[in-house]
Amino acid sequence: MNKVKVGIVGLGRIGTVHLKNLSNQIDNIEVIAVVTPSEEAQQYAKEMLIPIVSDKFEVIANNDEIDAVFICSPSPTHAAYIIQATQAGKAVFCEKPLDLSIEKIEEILAEVNKSKQPLMVAFNQRFDPNFSKIKETIEEGRLGKLRMVKITSRDPTPPPAHYVKSSGGLFLDMTIHDFDMARFIVGSEVKEVYAKGHCLIDPAIGEAGDIDTGVVVLTFENNVTAIIENSREACYGYDQRLEVFGDKGMAQANHKQKDQVQILDTQGVHSARPLDFFMDRYFDSYLHEANAFIEALLQNKEMPVKGEDGLKATKIALAANLSMKENRPVLLSEI
Amino acid sequence: MNKVKVGIVGLGRIGTVHLKNLSNQIDNIEVIAVVTPSEEAQQYAKEMLIPIVSDKFEVIANNDEIDAVFICSPSPTHAAYIIQATQAGKAVFCEKPLDLSIEKIEEILAEVNKSKQPLMVAFNQRFDPNFSKIKETIEEGRLGKLRMVKITSRDPTPPPAHYVKSSGGLFLDMTIHDFDMARFIVGSEVKEVYAKGHCLIDPAIGEAGDIDTGVVVLTFENNVTAIIENSREACYGYDQRLEVFGDKGMAQANHKQKDQVQILDTQGVHSARPLDFFMDRYFDSYLHEANAFIEALLQNKEMPVKGEDGLKATKIALAANLSMKENRPVLLSEI
Amino acid sequence: MNKVKVGIVGLGRIGTVHLKNLSNQIDNIEVIAVVTPSEEAQQYAKEMLIPIVSDKFEVIANNDEIDAVFICSPSPTHAAYIIQATQAGKAVFCEKPLDLSIEKIEEILAEVNKSKQPLMVAFNQRFDPNFSKIKETIEEGRLGKLRMVKITSRDPTPPPAHYVKSSGGLFLDMTIHDFDMARFIVGSEVKEVYAKGHCLIDPAIGEAGDIDTGVVVLTFENNVTAIIENSREACYGYDQRLEVFGDKGMAQANHKQKDQVQILDTQGVHSARPLDFFMDRYFDSYLHEANAFIEALLQNKEMPVKGEDGLKATKIALAANLSMKENRPVLLSEI
Amino acid sequence: MNKVKVGIVGLGRIGTVHLKNLSNQIDNIEVIAVVTPSEEAQQYAKEMLIPIVSDKFEVIANNDEIDAVFICSPSPTHAAYIIQATQAGKAVFCEKPLDLSIEKIEEILAEVNKSKQPLMVAFNQRFDPNFSKIKETIEEGRLGKLRMVKITSRDPTPPPAHYVKSSGGLFLDMTIHDFDMARFIVGSEVKEVYAKGHCLIDPAIGEAGDIDTGVVVLTFENNVTAIIENSREACYGYDQRLEVFGDKGMAQANHKQKDQVQILDTQGVHSARPLDFFMDRYFDSYLHEANAFIEALLQNKEMPVKGEDGLKATKIALAANLSMKENRPVLLSEI
């Protein structure tokens, strides 16, 4: 393959990000089909000069020219599209989560395995320049033997309660990125999960049966501990930090501020807020993950994030749910 | 009282810090007696022109001129000296811990209460300019309603295994500062403790029955969570950080570096390590805590850190020990 | 006008930046013609689906559909293209410099004035988020009455000596951006110029009659002083800083580093180099300046950087040349 | 000599700093005499248990026990005391300036040379941890061949106009520290001086014949350029920065803030002002310079700052005065 022909299903916020990146920023790739039920989104795709625009997934699944499918549609549709696409012999890039249920994910993975088609789960944060630099730093041995990983992830504003209801809860919806990040960074598997949560921000979230503030302690098989802390709201911006501590050093990925200006006055030194929109904060990561998928296809390499990674992060999230419910550490083997 | 006459018992590292600060940096105070079994330390006290130098605590306890006693001797002697000093009508400044056992501490507090003498427990970190500024920031309401407190405390080098043996263990010896800090910052009482620990640094510490790497999750009665992370060794210096997150803002006390020089070269931007000696890192806090004690005496005010604070931090440490042993969250009421 | 049709002449490094930005990132605009003598560049333009691709400027000048021309060709061609384009009734966006000679620039401006067509000179750094934020901070009055402006501009690597020969010299080629920035920030006109330069980096630059290290002190009519410091080489990256000091505060635009990762080890704290490629460092500024030009056209507003700004920066550069030559402060009125 | 006996003349702000440092912080030294006309200061010295307290310099000059004199009295008295002390066979530590006139300084140096007694001029900033670290960095070769030095020195608040009148003017009173710093850092001698100044802060300073805002460009014999920028007032604190740029790297000494706390809220990231009192900002430097003097005496080493350094800095200041007056670059050889 020396040029990848892509179909995209779903053209909401994240689908649009991928469409733009694939069209303008990534070489050796052509988006030839977009599927979306939204007439407005269809109109947008036409203005982008996409040859095939439809509301039927079949225009992708049945098109032999298409090599790869980006699945950016709502989560409940992921399983069906993945299976349909891989059975049609296409590589799949799927937004997280594959599904909220372990059984369903295992079914997906079984189908994918059967088809031998490549599947990448879009844990975009692995491709963030800060976090991927820390990963490289670890691999170069600069931090030595790891001891402790700390992840802080706080959203700028909480989602509406109705979103929360169908989200699977904080751990499955938001912390899942951090579970994947912890596995990515530690390079070992989780043994035990202890989770604690509170509803401190929006009572409606609590009424919807969820929490908005959470802490998870992960113990890995290699005895590294990871501490994850989440909040659905941070008035000062979108706070995404990672700290990794080893016997030879420590690495910290700090806030990504809007600019590099400091103002000094009688009150002190002032600088800009951290970026507060996920597409600004993770702009690079979306580009790099799509690029990594395309590169892996073109060079026939292993996918950088596999279906199993999606399964494992989901299992940790379910263990966190159980831990919080029963207020006890839960072995991952219980899930 | 317009001048405080002080006796100091114990002239090791910390006793010497207090002797220097009291002699040179704090007004309205005179050190008139030093008690220490070490001949070298006695010699030093004489060179400092201290009028009474002895190896007998009685020269302090029986001296009617002395208003206040600084107890800087080894931990197992604290209880007896506190009781003797308060019974002799003296105010007491005592290094932590009051004792390692709850029963003994309660006995001490009962005696102190009977005597009506002021007792201050030396949790010096409350007086560190970074941490006390965060406390003020909270009290001014700038952070709003608190949600989460994160404390990182990593020593530059681990203690010898023989020290560890008689220390009471990581949580009683090292984390106890952080337990007090968490209570100080949150302004509420701990409800539940979950602790996890590993021996990753020095196997001799493990053989001595202790851990060198620990994580504690404290749940407070007001639903604030505090996460404490400790390590007995950090190759990059003495790492003492605090982060407090509320609905109106977040405060972070960062590393205290040796200087403010940045060097930029082909490899990047380089600056100095964090300070790596506790007396450099906490130089100000020792001065400010002694000052606060003297001020409280002179102005007949409440002690800024009370005996009960020592008791409560110890209870949290014992709850952490139990939690780690039984691998379950422990209610503080169980202790 | 509700959509701007653009022709681009010149498709080297900077022309390509504009072509990409105009094609992918800016709304209400269409690039319908590209003129370049390079066959490779023509091929690239065709792949970008540009309708008209040619090596003759006439396809732009004579095309009535085209509203605006981006002149990105070599400097010596600017004058002729500007005059031809404005006479043809087109708005012009011209890369700096308009020309190296005052007489020629005045001739250009006379023609532009006659034609009443808008002309924008591409001092892109005005649109850099750091520098434009400082400008806003000044306009909001947060810095009070200005006293001092300091500009540091150091390139990562020196140009080849043959480039230097036809560049007009450091002050006309490189410092000209800083002269414009100083005027932009101070909001007053330069009264006096003192310049000093050395050849410390590459003797070939000296042999070509130029300097590679320069300092200029500008005194403005409002008595603000601006200090500009330039170097053709900085081993640690592309160093572009601005500091503005007023009676109510000070603003500093610092280095733009590649990422936000800090690594702490036994040697200290380490972070990434400043960005070292002008297109990474000024990526945003190119986008924002093109956007500002298009916005001004669509809304029939004044151009944000005018032809006169180009003239004035050039005069300052010539005064700097004279000052260095005669080693004395030179009044701008002498030029 | 294995213990230095010291007399101090002058017990104002700076004399008191030295008295405290010598008494409490520096080993192998004893202050045995203090001379001051102030009764309050005499009282203070007695409370510090200084054996000899007087208002007559003779109690120092005629005391054979005294090895060294710290001259901390008003500037016009320096010359006489230095000469008297050195003739009496004592080492001298003298606050800056030696004198405001070149002739007088040369007379002092001639006398000191004759006496063969050590003389140190108290350019304390050389001993600031930030600046001395940069000096070491240069000496280790980490910055390579130097190209440019930038010094920013802004006082928090302007002196009263009556002080300004007898101060010798900004360049002799304030910039003199920076002239010495530039020589110290560059390691070469100044060839040419260009100075520019304005009165922008307090018209009374202008009426007193002085400026409050100054810029000096120094060209060194080795073609390094130093840019010094001074202001008598900075509302945001005491701003003392140094930047050194060489072919292998760049070093920056940044603001020294009061603490390491960052507060993030909806408005951005906020931290403390730079320290705003010279004794806080330069606390360490005063201690280190006194220590360096005592060390040099005890080990019979060369003085780290010599009388000639005082002379040279004064010449540069006079050249700056002439340059400003005649608005032209002045060769140091003209002075």
Side-chain angles (χ1 to χ4, degrees), chain A residues 147 150 192 196 229 233, chain B residues 147 150 192 196 233:
Chain A
R147 294 171 181 168
K150 290 161 100 166
E192 191 191 84
K196 197 83 197 169
E229 187 246 300
E233 181 196 65
Chain B
R147 294 172 182 169
K150 290 161 101 164
E192 193 191 81
K196 198 85 196 167
E233 181 196 65

Side-chain angles (χ1 to χ4, degrees), chain D residues 296-314:
Chain D
L297 284 186
L298 287 170
Q299 299 173 21
N300 211 17
K301 288 191 306 186
E302 234 182 28
M303 280 294 137
V305 198
K306 301 197 195 64
E308 282 69 24
D309 294 310
L311 177 64
K312 281 170 178 162
T314 306

Side-chain angles (χ1 to χ4, degrees), chain C residues 147 150 152 154 192 194 196 198 201 219 229 233 235-236 241 243 245 248 250 252 327 329, chain D residues 147 150 152 154 192 194 196 201 219 223 229 233 235-236 241 243 245 248 250 252 327 329:
Chain C
R147 294 172 181 168
K150 291 161 101 166
T152 303
R154 298 174 186 153
E192 193 191 81
Y194 177 71
K196 198 85 196 167
H198 293 97
I201 295 162
T219 307
E229 189 247 297
E233 181 197 65
C235 69
Y236 57 87
R241 281 173 291 149
E243 176 176 323
F245 171 46
K248 290 197 184 148
M250 197 255 281
Q252 293 179 293
N327 194 23
Chain D
R147 293 173 181 169
K150 291 160 101 164
T152 302
R154 298 172 186 155
E192 193 192 81
Y194 176 71
K196 198 83 198 171
I201 296 162
T219 307
N223 281 328
E229 187 247 298
E233 181 195 66
C235 70
Y236 57 87
R241 280 173 292 151
E243 176 177 322
F245 171 46
K248 290 198 186 149
M250 199 256 280
Q252 292 179 292
N327 194 24

Side-chain angles (χ1 to χ4, degrees), chain B residues 230-289:
Chain B
N230 289 147
S231 173
R232 286 286 196 183
E233 181 196 65
C235 69
Y236 56 87
Y238 188 26
D239 188 350
Q240 301 281 290
R241 282 173 290 150
L242 170 64
E243 177 176 323
V244 182
F245 170 47
D247 65 352
K248 289 195 184 151
M250 197 256 280
Q252 292 178 292
N254 295 317
H255 310 289
K256 203 166 170 177
Q257 285 177 275
K258 288 189 181 185
D259 56 61
Q260 290 71 48
V261 174
Q262 284 193 311
I263 297 171
L264 293 88
D265 60 22
T266 54
Q267 302 306 304
V269 181
H270 314 282
S271 60
R273 281 160 59 94
L275 293 170
D276 54 13
F277 186 44
F278 79 96
M279 293 215 236
D280 293 332
R281 172 62 186 85
Y282 282 116
F283 176 83
D284 292 333
S285 77
Y286 290 116
L287 179 57
H288 295 166
E289 73 167 352

